[in-house]
Structures are given as structure tokens and as C-alpha cells.
CSV table of all heavy atoms in Angstrom, one decimal:
chain,number,residue,atom,x,y,z
A,951,MET,N,0.9,-1.2,0.0
A,951,MET,CA,0.0,0.0,0.0
A,951,MET,C,0.9,1.2,0.0
A,951,MET,O,1.8,1.3,0.8
A,951,MET,CB,-0.9,0.0,1.2
A,951,MET,CG,-1.6,1.2,1.5
A,951,MET,SD,-2.8,1.3,2.9
A,951,MET,CE,-2.2,0.1,4.0
A,952,ASN,N,0.6,2.1,-0.9
A,952,ASN,CA,1.4,3.4,-1.0
A,952,ASN,C,0.6,4.5,-0.3
A,952,ASN,O,-0.6,4.6,-0.5
A,952,ASN,CB,1.7,3.8,-2.4
A,952,ASN,CG,2.5,2.8,-3.1
A,952,ASN,OD1,3.4,2.2,-2.5
A,952,ASN,ND2,2.3,2.6,-4.4
A,953,THR,N,1.2,5.3,0.4
A,953,THR,CA,0.6,6.5,1.0
A,953,THR,C,1.4,7.7,0.6
A,953,THR,O,2.7,7.7,0.5
A,953,THR,CB,0.5,6.4,2.5
A,953,THR,OG1,1.8,6.3,3.1
A,953,THR,CG2,-0.4,5.3,3.0
A,954,TYR,N,0.8,8.8,0.4
A,954,TYR,CA,1.4,10.1,0.0
A,954,TYR,C,0.8,11.2,0.7
A,954,TYR,O,-0.4,11.2,1.0
A,954,TYR,CB,1.3,10.3,-1.5
A,954,TYR,CG,1.9,9.2,-2.3
A,954,TYR,CD1,1.1,8.2,-2.9
A,954,TYR,CD2,3.3,9.1,-2.6
A,954,TYR,CE1,1.6,7.2,-3.6
A,954,TYR,CE2,3.8,8.1,-3.3
A,954,TYR,CZ,3.0,7.1,-3.8
A,954,TYR,OH,3.5,6.1,-4.5
A,955,SER,N,1.6,12.2,1.0
A,955,SER,CA,1.1,13.4,1.6
A,955,SER,C,1.1,14.6,0.6
A,955,SER,O,2.1,14.7,-0.2
A,955,SER,CB,2.0,13.8,2.8
A,955,SER,OG,1.7,15.0,3.3
A,956,VAL,N,0.0,15.3,0.5
A,956,VAL,CA,-0.1,16.4,-0.4
A,956,VAL,C,-0.1,17.7,0.4
A,956,VAL,O,-1.0,17.8,1.3
A,956,VAL,CB,-1.4,16.3,-1.3
A,956,VAL,CG1,-1.5,17.5,-2.2
A,956,VAL,CG2,-1.4,15.0,-2.1
A,957,GLY,N,0.8,18.6,0.1
A,957,GLY,CA,0.8,19.8,0.9
A,957,GLY,C,2.2,20.4,0.9
A,957,GLY,O,3.1,19.9,0.3
A,958,GLN,N,2.4,21.5,1.5
A,958,GLN,CA,3.6,22.3,1.5
A,958,GLN,C,4.8,21.4,2.0
A,958,GLN,O,5.9,21.5,1.4
A,958,GLN,CB,3.5,23.5,2.4
A,958,GLN,CG,4.5,24.6,2.1
A,958,GLN,CD,4.1,25.9,2.7
A,958,GLN,OE1,3.3,26.0,3.7
A,958,GLN,NE2,4.5,26.9,2.1
A,959,ASN,N,4.6,20.6,3.0
A,959,ASN,CA,5.7,19.7,3.4
A,959,ASN,C,5.5,18.3,3.1
A,959,ASN,O,6.2,17.4,3.6
A,959,ASN,CB,5.9,19.9,5.0
A,959,ASN,CG,6.2,21.3,5.4
A,959,ASN,OD1,7.1,21.9,4.8
A,959,ASN,ND2,5.6,21.7,6.4
A,960,GLY,N,4.7,18.0,2.1
A,960,GLY,CA,4.3,16.7,1.7
A,960,GLY,C,5.2,16.1,0.6
A,960,GLY,O,6.2,16.7,0.1
A,961,ASP,N,4.7,15.0,0.1
A,961,ASP,CA,5.4,14.3,-1.0
A,961,ASP,C,5.1,15.1,-2.3
A,961,ASP,O,5.9,15.0,-3.3
A,961,ASP,CB,4.9,12.9,-1.2
A,961,ASP,CG,5.2,12.1,0.1
A,961,ASP,OD1,6.3,12.0,0.5
A,961,ASP,OD2,4.2,11.5,0.6
A,962,PHE,N,3.9,15.7,-2.4
A,962,PHE,CA,3.5,16.4,-3.6
A,962,PHE,C,3.0,17.8,-3.1
A,962,PHE,O,2.4,17.9,-2.1
A,962,PHE,CB,2.4,15.7,-4.3
A,962,PHE,CG,2.8,14.4,-4.8
A,962,PHE,CD1,2.5,13.2,-4.1
A,962,PHE,CD2,3.5,14.2,-6.0
A,962,PHE,CE1,2.9,12.0,-4.6
A,962,PHE,CE2,3.9,13.0,-6.5
A,962,PHE,CZ,3.6,11.9,-5.8
A,963,ILE,N,3.2,18.8,-3.9
A,963,ILE,CA,2.7,20.1,-3.6
A,963,ILE,C,1.5,20.4,-4.6
A,963,ILE,O,1.7,20.3,-5.8
A,963,ILE,CB,3.8,21.2,-3.8
A,963,ILE,CG1,4.9,20.9,-2.7
A,963,ILE,CG2,3.2,22.6,-3.6
A,963,ILE,CD1,6.1,21.8,-2.9
A,964,ASP,N,0.4,20.9,-4.1
A,964,ASP,CA,-0.8,21.2,-4.8
A,964,ASP,C,-0.8,22.7,-5.1
A,964,ASP,O,-1.5,23.4,-4.4
A,964,ASP,CB,-2.0,20.7,-4.1
A,964,ASP,CG,-3.3,20.9,-4.9
A,964,ASP,OD1,-3.3,21.0,-6.1
A,964,ASP,OD2,-4.4,20.8,-4.2
A,965,LYS,N,0.0,23.2,-6.0
A,965,LYS,CA,0.1,24.6,-6.2
A,965,LYS,C,-1.2,25.4,-6.5
A,965,LYS,O,-1.4,26.5,-6.1
A,965,LYS,CB,1.1,24.9,-7.3
A,965,LYS,CG,2.5,24.5,-7.0
A,965,LYS,CD,3.5,24.8,-8.1
A,965,LYS,CE,4.9,24.4,-7.7
A,965,LYS,NZ,5.9,24.6,-8.8
A,966,ASP,N,-2.0,24.8,-7.4
A,966,ASP,CA,-3.2,25.5,-7.8
A,966,ASP,C,-4.5,25.0,-7.1
A,966,ASP,O,-5.6,25.3,-7.4
A,966,ASP,CB,-3.4,25.4,-9.3
A,966,ASP,CG,-3.6,24.0,-9.8
A,966,ASP,OD1,-3.6,23.0,-9.0
A,966,ASP,OD2,-3.8,23.8,-11.0
A,967,SER,N,-4.3,24.1,-6.0
A,967,SER,CA,-5.4,23.5,-5.2
A,967,SER,C,-6.3,22.6,-6.1
A,967,SER,O,-7.4,22.3,-5.7
A,967,SER,CB,-6.3,24.6,-4.5
A,967,SER,OG,-5.5,25.4,-3.6
A,968,GLY,N,-5.8,22.2,-7.2
A,968,GLY,CA,-6.6,21.3,-8.1
A,968,GLY,C,-6.9,20.0,-7.4
A,968,GLY,O,-8.1,19.5,-7.4
A,969,TRP,N,-5.9,19.4,-6.7
A,969,TRP,CA,-6.2,18.1,-6.0
A,969,TRP,C,-7.1,18.3,-4.9
A,969,TRP,O,-8.1,17.6,-4.7
A,969,TRP,CB,-4.8,17.5,-5.5
A,969,TRP,CG,-4.9,16.1,-5.0
A,969,TRP,CD1,-4.8,15.0,-5.7
A,969,TRP,CD2,-5.3,15.7,-3.7
A,969,TRP,NE1,-5.0,13.9,-4.9
A,969,TRP,CE2,-5.3,14.3,-3.6
A,969,TRP,CE3,-5.6,16.4,-2.5
A,969,TRP,CZ2,-5.6,13.6,-2.5
A,969,TRP,CZ3,-5.9,15.7,-1.4
A,969,TRP,CH2,-5.9,14.3,-1.4
A,970,GLN,N,-6.8,19.3,-4.1
A,970,GLN,CA,-7.7,19.7,-3.0
A,970,GLN,C,-9.1,19.9,-3.4
A,970,GLN,O,-10.1,19.4,-2.7
A,970,GLN,CB,-7.1,20.9,-2.3
A,970,GLN,CG,-7.6,21.1,-0.9
A,970,GLN,CD,-6.8,22.2,-0.2
A,970,GLN,OE1,-6.2,23.0,-0.8
A,970,GLN,NE2,-6.9,22.3,1.1
A,971,ASN,N,-9.4,20.6,-4.4
A,971,ASN,CA,-10.7,20.8,-4.9
A,971,ASN,C,-11.4,19.6,-5.5
A,971,ASN,O,-12.5,19.3,-5.2
A,971,ASN,CB,-10.7,21.9,-6.0
A,971,ASN,CG,-10.4,23.3,-5.4
A,971,ASN,OD1,-10.6,23.6,-4.2
A,971,ASN,ND2,-9.8,24.1,-6.2
A,972,ALA,N,-10.6,18.8,-6.3
A,972,ALA,CA,-11.2,17.6,-6.9
A,972,ALA,C,-11.6,16.6,-5.8
A,972,ALA,O,-12.6,15.9,-6.0
A,972,ALA,CB,-10.1,17.0,-7.8
A,973,TYR,N,-10.9,16.5,-4.7
A,973,TYR,CA,-11.2,15.5,-3.7
A,973,TYR,C,-11.8,16.1,-2.5
A,973,TYR,O,-11.9,15.4,-1.5
A,973,TYR,CB,-10.0,14.6,-3.4
A,973,TYR,CG,-9.6,13.8,-4.6
A,973,TYR,CD1,-8.5,14.1,-5.4
A,973,TYR,CD2,-10.3,12.7,-4.9
A,973,TYR,CE1,-8.2,13.4,-6.5
A,973,TYR,CE2,-10.0,11.9,-6.0
A,973,TYR,CZ,-8.9,12.3,-6.8
A,973,TYR,OH,-8.6,11.5,-7.9
A,974,GLN,N,-12.2,17.3,-2.5
A,974,GLN,CA,-12.8,18.0,-1.4
A,974,GLN,C,-12.1,17.9,-0.1
A,974,GLN,O,-12.6,17.6,0.9
A,974,GLN,CB,-14.3,17.6,-1.3
A,974,GLN,CG,-15.1,17.8,-2.5
A,974,GLN,CD,-16.5,17.2,-2.4
A,974,GLN,OE1,-16.8,16.5,-1.4
A,974,GLN,NE2,-17.3,17.4,-3.4
A,975,ALA,N,-10.8,18.0,-0.2
A,975,ALA,CA,-9.9,17.9,0.9
A,975,ALA,C,-9.6,19.2,1.5
A,975,ALA,O,-9.4,20.2,0.9
A,975,ALA,CB,-8.6,17.2,0.5
A,976,LYS,N,-9.5,19.2,2.8
A,976,LYS,CA,-9.1,20.4,3.6
A,976,LYS,C,-7.6,20.3,3.9
A,976,LYS,O,-7.0,19.3,3.5
A,976,LYS,CB,-9.9,20.5,4.9
A,976,LYS,CG,-11.4,20.4,4.7
A,976,LYS,CD,-12.1,21.8,4.8
A,976,LYS,CE,-13.6,21.7,4.8
A,976,LYS,NZ,-14.2,21.5,3.5
A,977,GLU,N,-7.1,21.2,4.6
A,977,GLU,CA,-5.7,21.2,4.9
A,977,GLU,C,-5.2,20.0,5.7
A,977,GLU,O,-4.2,19.4,5.4
A,977,GLU,CB,-5.3,22.5,5.8
A,977,GLU,CG,-3.8,22.6,6.0
A,977,GLU,CD,-3.5,23.8,6.8
A,977,GLU,OE1,-4.3,24.8,6.8
A,977,GLU,OE2,-2.5,23.8,7.5
A,978,LYS,N,-6.0,19.5,6.6
A,978,LYS,CA,-5.6,18.3,7.4
A,978,LYS,C,-6.5,17.1,7.1
A,978,LYS,O,-6.5,16.1,7.9
A,978,LYS,CB,-5.7,18.6,8.9
A,978,LYS,CG,-4.7,19.7,9.3
A,978,LYS,CD,-4.6,19.8,10.8
A,978,LYS,CE,-3.5,20.8,11.1
A,978,LYS,NZ,-3.3,20.8,12.6
A,979,SER,N,-7.1,17.1,5.9
A,979,SER,CA,-8.0,15.9,5.6
A,979,SER,C,-7.1,14.7,5.2
A,979,SER,O,-6.0,14.8,4.8
A,979,SER,CB,-8.8,16.2,4.3
A,979,SER,OG,-9.8,17.2,4.6
A,980,VAL,N,-7.7,13.5,5.4
A,980,VAL,CA,-7.2,12.3,4.9
A,980,VAL,C,-8.2,11.7,3.9
A,980,VAL,O,-9.4,11.6,4.2
A,980,VAL,CB,-7.0,11.3,6.1
A,980,VAL,CG1,-6.4,10.0,5.6
A,980,VAL,CG2,-6.1,11.9,7.2
A,981,VAL,N,-7.7,11.4,2.7
A,981,VAL,CA,-8.6,10.9,1.7
A,981,VAL,C,-8.0,9.6,1.1
A,981,VAL,O,-6.9,9.6,0.8
A,981,VAL,CB,-8.7,11.9,0.6
A,981,VAL,CG1,-9.7,11.5,-0.5
A,981,VAL,CG2,-9.2,13.3,1.1
A,982,LEU,N,-8.9,8.6,1.1
A,982,LEU,CA,-8.5,7.3,0.5
A,982,LEU,C,-9.1,7.2,-0.8
A,982,LEU,O,-10.3,7.2,-1.0
A,982,LEU,CB,-8.9,6.1,1.4
A,982,LEU,CG,-8.6,4.7,1.0
A,982,LEU,CD1,-7.1,4.5,0.9
A,982,LEU,CD2,-9.2,3.7,2.0
A,983,VAL,N,-8.2,7.2,-1.9
A,983,VAL,CA,-8.7,7.3,-3.2
A,983,VAL,C,-8.3,5.9,-3.9
A,983,VAL,O,-7.1,5.5,-3.9
A,983,VAL,CB,-8.0,8.4,-4.0
A,983,VAL,CG1,-8.5,8.5,-5.4
A,983,VAL,CG2,-8.2,9.7,-3.3
A,984,ARG,N,-9.3,5.3,-4.6
A,984,ARG,CA,-9.0,4.1,-5.3
A,984,ARG,C,-8.2,4.4,-6.6
A,984,ARG,O,-8.2,5.6,-7.0
A,984,ARG,CB,-10.4,3.4,-5.7
A,984,ARG,CG,-11.2,3.0,-4.6
A,984,ARG,CD,-12.4,2.2,-5.0
A,984,ARG,NE,-13.0,2.6,-6.3
A,984,ARG,CZ,-14.2,2.3,-6.7
A,984,ARG,NH1,-15.0,1.6,-5.9
A,984,ARG,NH2,-14.7,2.6,-7.9
A,985,PRO,N,-7.6,3.4,-7.2
A,985,PRO,CA,-6.8,3.7,-8.4
A,985,PRO,C,-7.6,4.3,-9.5
A,985,PRO,O,-7.1,5.0,-10.4
A,985,PRO,CB,-6.3,2.3,-8.8
A,985,PRO,CG,-6.3,1.5,-7.5
A,985,PRO,CD,-7.4,2.1,-6.7
A,986,ASP,N,-9.0,4.1,-9.5
A,986,ASP,CA,-9.8,4.7,-10.6
A,986,ASP,C,-10.2,6.1,-10.2
A,986,ASP,O,-11.0,6.7,-10.9
A,986,ASP,CB,-11.0,3.8,-10.9
A,986,ASP,CG,-12.0,3.7,-9.7
A,986,ASP,OD1,-11.7,4.2,-8.6
A,986,ASP,OD2,-13.0,3.0,-9.9
A,987,GLY,N,-9.7,6.7,-9.1
A,987,GLY,CA,-10.0,8.0,-8.7
A,987,GLY,C,-11.2,8.2,-7.8
A,987,GLY,O,-11.5,9.3,-7.4
A,988,PHE,N,-11.9,7.1,-7.5
A,988,PHE,CA,-13.1,7.2,-6.6
A,988,PHE,C,-12.7,7.3,-5.2
A,988,PHE,O,-11.8,6.6,-4.7
A,988,PHE,CB,-13.9,5.9,-6.8
A,988,PHE,CG,-15.2,5.9,-6.0
A,988,PHE,CD1,-16.3,6.5,-6.5
A,988,PHE,CD2,-15.3,5.3,-4.8
A,988,PHE,CE1,-17.5,6.5,-5.8
A,988,PHE,CE2,-16.4,5.3,-4.0
A,988,PHE,CZ,-17.6,5.9,-4.6
A,989,VAL,N,-13.3,8.3,-4.5
A,989,VAL,CA,-13.0,8.5,-3.1
A,989,VAL,C,-13.8,7.5,-2.3
A,989,VAL,O,-15.0,7.5,-2.3
A,989,VAL,CB,-13.3,9.9,-2.6
A,989,VAL,CG1,-13.1,10.0,-1.1
A,989,VAL,CG2,-12.4,10.9,-3.3
A,990,CYS,N,-13.1,6.5,-1.6
A,990,CYS,CA,-13.9,5.5,-0.8
A,990,CYS,C,-13.9,5.8,0.7
A,990,CYS,O,-14.6,5.1,1.4
A,990,CYS,CB,-13.4,4.1,-1.2
A,990,CYS,SG,-11.7,3.9,-0.9
A,991,TRP,N,-13.1,6.8,1.1
A,991,TRP,CA,-13.1,7.1,2.5
A,991,TRP,C,-12.5,8.5,2.7
A,991,TRP,O,-11.6,8.8,2.0
A,991,TRP,CB,-12.4,6.1,3.3
A,991,TRP,CG,-12.3,6.4,4.8
A,991,TRP,CD1,-13.3,6.1,5.7
A,991,TRP,CD2,-11.3,6.9,5.5
A,991,TRP,NE1,-12.9,6.5,7.0
A,991,TRP,CE2,-11.7,7.0,6.9
A,991,TRP,CE3,-10.0,7.4,5.2
A,991,TRP,CZ2,-10.8,7.5,7.9
A,991,TRP,CZ3,-9.2,7.9,6.2
A,991,TRP,CH2,-9.6,8.0,7.5
A,992,ARG,N,-13.0,9.3,3.7
A,992,ARG,CA,-12.4,10.6,3.9
A,992,ARG,C,-12.6,10.9,5.4
A,992,ARG,O,-13.5,10.5,6.0
A,992,ARG,CB,-13.2,11.6,3.0
A,992,ARG,CG,-13.2,13.0,3.4
A,992,ARG,CD,-14.1,13.9,2.7
A,992,ARG,NE,-14.8,13.4,1.5
A,992,ARG,CZ,-14.3,13.6,0.2
A,992,ARG,NH1,-13.1,14.1,0.0
A,992,ARG,NH2,-15.0,13.1,-0.8
A,993,CYS,N,-11.6,11.6,5.9
A,993,CYS,CA,-11.6,12.1,7.3
A,993,CYS,C,-11.2,13.6,7.3
A,993,CYS,O,-10.2,13.9,6.6
A,993,CYS,CB,-10.7,11.3,8.2
A,993,CYS,SG,-10.6,11.8,9.9
A,994,GLU,N,-11.9,14.4,8.0
A,994,GLU,CA,-11.5,15.8,8.0
A,994,GLU,C,-10.3,16.2,8.7
A,994,GLU,O,-9.8,17.3,8.6
A,994,GLU,CB,-12.7,16.7,8.5
A,994,GLU,CG,-13.9,16.6,7.6
A,994,GLU,CD,-13.7,17.1,6.2
A,994,GLU,OE1,-13.0,18.1,6.0
A,994,GLU,OE2,-14.1,16.5,5.2
A,995,ASP,N,-9.8,15.3,9.6
A,995,ASP,CA,-8.6,15.7,10.4
A,995,ASP,C,-7.7,14.4,10.4
A,995,ASP,O,-8.2,13.3,10.6
A,995,ASP,CB,-9.0,16.0,11.8
A,995,ASP,CG,-7.9,16.7,12.6
A,995,ASP,OD1,-6.9,17.1,12.0
A,995,ASP,OD2,-8.1,16.9,13.8
A,996,HIS,N,-6.4,14.6,10.3
A,996,HIS,CA,-5.5,13.5,10.2
A,996,HIS,C,-5.4,12.8,11.5
A,996,HIS,O,-5.7,13.3,12.6
A,996,HIS,CB,-4.1,14.0,9.8
A,996,HIS,CG,-3.4,14.8,10.8
A,996,HIS,ND1,-3.7,16.0,11.2
A,996,HIS,CD2,-2.4,14.4,11.6
A,996,HIS,CE1,-2.9,16.4,12.2
A,996,HIS,NE2,-2.1,15.4,12.5
A,997,SER,N,-5.0,11.5,11.4
A,997,SER,CA,-4.8,10.7,12.5
A,997,SER,C,-3.4,10.7,13.1
A,997,SER,O,-2.4,10.8,12.3
A,997,SER,CB,-5.2,9.2,12.1
A,997,SER,OG,-4.8,8.3,13.1
A,998,GLU,N,-3.2,10.5,14.3
A,998,GLU,CA,-1.9,10.4,14.9
A,998,GLU,C,-1.3,9.0,14.7
A,998,GLU,O,-0.1,8.9,14.8
A,998,GLU,CB,-2.0,10.7,16.4
A,998,GLU,CG,-2.3,12.1,16.8
A,998,GLU,CD,-1.4,13.1,16.3
A,998,GLU,OE1,-0.1,12.9,16.3
A,998,GLU,OE2,-1.8,14.2,15.8
A,999,GLN,N,-2.1,8.0,14.3
A,999,GLN,CA,-1.7,6.7,14.0
A,999,GLN,C,-2.2,6.3,12.7
A,999,GLN,O,-3.2,5.5,12.6
A,999,GLN,CB,-2.1,5.7,15.1
A,999,GLN,CG,-1.6,6.0,16.5
A,999,GLN,CD,-2.0,5.0,17.5
A,999,GLN,OE1,-3.1,4.5,17.4
A,999,GLN,NE2,-1.2,4.7,18.5
A,1000,PRO,N,-1.7,6.8,11.6
A,1000,PRO,CA,-2.3,6.6,10.3
A,1000,PRO,C,-2.3,5.2,9.8
A,1000,PRO,O,-3.3,4.7,9.2
A,1000,PRO,CB,-1.4,7.5,9.3
A,1000,PRO,CG,-0.2,7.7,10.1
A,1000,PRO,CD,-0.5,7.7,11.5
A,1001,THR,N,-1.3,4.4,10.2
A,1001,THR,CA,-1.3,3.0,9.8
A,1001,THR,C,-2.5,2.2,10.4
A,1001,THR,O,-3.2,1.5,9.8
A,1001,THR,CB,0.0,2.3,10.1
A,1001,THR,OG1,1.1,3.0,9.5
A,1001,THR,CG2,0.1,0.9,9.7
A,1002,LEU,N,-2.6,2.4,11.7
A,1002,LEU,CA,-3.7,1.8,12.4
A,1002,LEU,C,-5.1,2.2,11.9
A,1002,LEU,O,-6.0,1.4,11.7
A,1002,LEU,CB,-3.6,2.1,13.9
A,1002,LEU,CG,-4.7,1.5,14.8
A,1002,LEU,CD1,-4.8,0.0,14.7
A,1002,LEU,CD2,-4.6,1.9,16.2
A,1003,THR,N,-5.2,3.5,11.6
A,1003,THR,CA,-6.5,4.1,11.1
A,1003,THR,C,-6.8,3.4,9.7
A,1003,THR,O,-7.9,3.0,9.5
A,1003,THR,CB,-6.4,5.6,10.9
A,1003,THR,OG1,-6.1,6.2,12.2
A,1003,THR,CG2,-7.6,6.2,10.3
A,1004,LEU,N,-5.8,3.3,8.8
A,1004,LEU,CA,-6.0,2.7,7.5
A,1004,LEU,C,-6.4,1.3,7.6
A,1004,LEU,O,-7.2,0.8,6.9
A,1004,LEU,CB,-4.8,2.9,6.6
A,1004,LEU,CG,-4.7,4.3,6.0
A,1004,LEU,CD1,-3.4,4.4,5.2
A,1004,LEU,CD2,-5.8,4.7,5.1
A,1005,GLU,N,-5.7,0.5,8.6
A,1005,GLU,CA,-6.1,-0.9,8.8
A,1005,GLU,C,-7.6,-1.0,9.2
A,1005,GLU,O,-8.3,-1.9,8.7
A,1005,GLU,CB,-5.2,-1.5,9.8
A,1005,GLU,CG,-3.8,-1.7,9.4
A,1005,GLU,CD,-2.8,-2.2,10.5
A,1005,GLU,OE1,-3.3,-2.3,11.6
A,1005,GLU,OE2,-1.7,-2.4,10.2
A,1006,GLU,N,-8.0,-0.1,10.1
A,1006,GLU,CA,-9.4,-0.1,10.5
A,1006,GLU,C,-10.4,0.2,9.4
A,1006,GLU,O,-11.4,-0.4,9.2
A,1006,GLU,CB,-9.6,0.8,11.7
A,1006,GLU,CG,-8.9,0.4,12.9
A,1006,GLU,CD,-8.9,1.5,14.0
A,1006,GLU,OE1,-9.4,2.6,13.8
A,1006,GLU,OE2,-8.5,1.2,15.1
A,1007,VAL,N,-10.0,1.2,8.6
A,1007,VAL,CA,-10.8,1.6,7.4
A,1007,VAL,C,-10.9,0.5,6.4
A,1007,VAL,O,-12.0,0.2,5.9
A,1007,VAL,CB,-10.2,2.9,6.8
A,1007,VAL,CG1,-10.9,3.2,5.4
A,1007,VAL,CG2,-10.4,4.1,7.7
A,1008,PHE,N,-9.8,-0.1,6.1
A,1008,PHE,CA,-9.8,-1.3,5.1
A,1008,PHE,C,-10.7,-2.4,5.7
A,1008,PHE,O,-11.4,-3.0,4.9
A,1008,PHE,CB,-8.4,-1.7,4.8
A,1008,PHE,CG,-7.8,-1.0,3.7
A,1008,PHE,CD1,-6.8,0.0,3.9
A,1008,PHE,CD2,-8.2,-1.1,2.4
A,1008,PHE,CE1,-6.2,0.7,2.9
A,1008,PHE,CE2,-7.6,-0.4,1.3
A,1008,PHE,CZ,-6.6,0.5,1.6
A,1009,ALA,N,-10.6,-2.7,6.9
A,1009,ALA,CA,-11.4,-3.7,7.5
A,1009,ALA,C,-12.9,-3.4,7.4
A,1009,ALA,O,-13.7,-4.3,7.0
A,1009,ALA,CB,-11.0,-3.9,9.0
A,1010,GLN,N,-13.3,-2.2,7.6
A,1010,GLN,CA,-14.6,-1.8,7.4
A,1010,GLN,C,-15.1,-1.9,5.9
A,1010,GLN,O,-16.1,-2.4,5.6
A,1010,GLN,CB,-14.9,-0.3,7.8
A,1010,GLN,CG,-14.9,-0.2,9.3
A,1010,GLN,CD,-15.1,1.3,9.7
A,1010,GLN,OE1,-14.6,2.2,9.1
A,1010,GLN,NE2,-15.9,1.5,10.8
A,1011,LEU,N,-14.2,-1.4,5.0
A,1011,LEU,CA,-14.5,-1.4,3.6
A,1011,LEU,C,-14.7,-2.8,3.0
A,1011,LEU,O,-15.5,-3.1,2.2
A,1011,LEU,CB,-13.5,-0.6,2.8
A,1011,LEU,CG,-13.5,0.9,3.0
A,1011,LEU,CD1,-12.2,1.5,2.3
A,1011,LEU,CD2,-14.7,1.6,2.5
A,1012,LEU,N,-13.8,-3.7,3.6
A,1012,LEU,CA,-13.8,-5.1,3.1
A,1012,LEU,C,-14.7,-6.0,3.9
A,1012,LEU,O,-14.8,-7.2,3.6
A,1012,LEU,CB,-12.4,-5.6,3.1
A,1012,LEU,CG,-11.4,-4.8,2.2
A,1012,LEU,CD1,-10.0,-5.3,2.4
A,1012,LEU,CD2,-11.8,-5.0,0.7
A,1013,GLY,N,-15.4,-5.4,4.9
A,1013,GLY,CA,-16.4,-6.2,5.7
A,1013,GLY,C,-15.7,-7.2,6.6
A,1013,GLY,O,-16.3,-8.3,6.8
A,1014,LYS,N,-14.6,-6.9,7.1
A,1014,LYS,CA,-13.9,-7.9,8.0
A,1014,LYS,C,-14.0,-7.5,9.4
A,1014,LYS,O,-14.1,-6.4,9.8
A,1014,LYS,CB,-12.4,-8.0,7.6
A,1014,LYS,CG,-12.2,-8.5,6.2
A,1014,LYS,CD,-10.8,-8.7,5.9
A,1014,LYS,CE,-10.6,-9.3,4.5
A,1014,LYS,NZ,-9.3,-9.6,4.2
């Protein structure tokens, strides 16, 4: 699983806010985007334990 940070200190910089607008992301949002561009999960504030949070989200999405 690959994770990326978008923002001033992230892996990618969103200069024109195109990504932020397309995925309705706020400054501290967490957005899980499928390879086809569909947003399957979103959180308005980042987690202090992102790996654990993603494991829980995937368990919910996959019905486990």
C-alpha cells in the first residue's frame, strides 16, 4: 500500500489547489482514493496513528 502526503511539506505540492478541490480535501484531511479516482473514505482531520487508522478503514470497507 502506498501513502502520499499532499501539501507544503508533503510528497507532492498542490500549487493550484486542483487536487484539494477535486477530492474536497481540507488542509488536514485524509482521503483514501481508489486507483480509478473514486474516493472511498475521507476524514476531515489527520490521525496520529495513520497505519492503524487505515487498517481499521480497510477492515470496514472489506467487511472484515
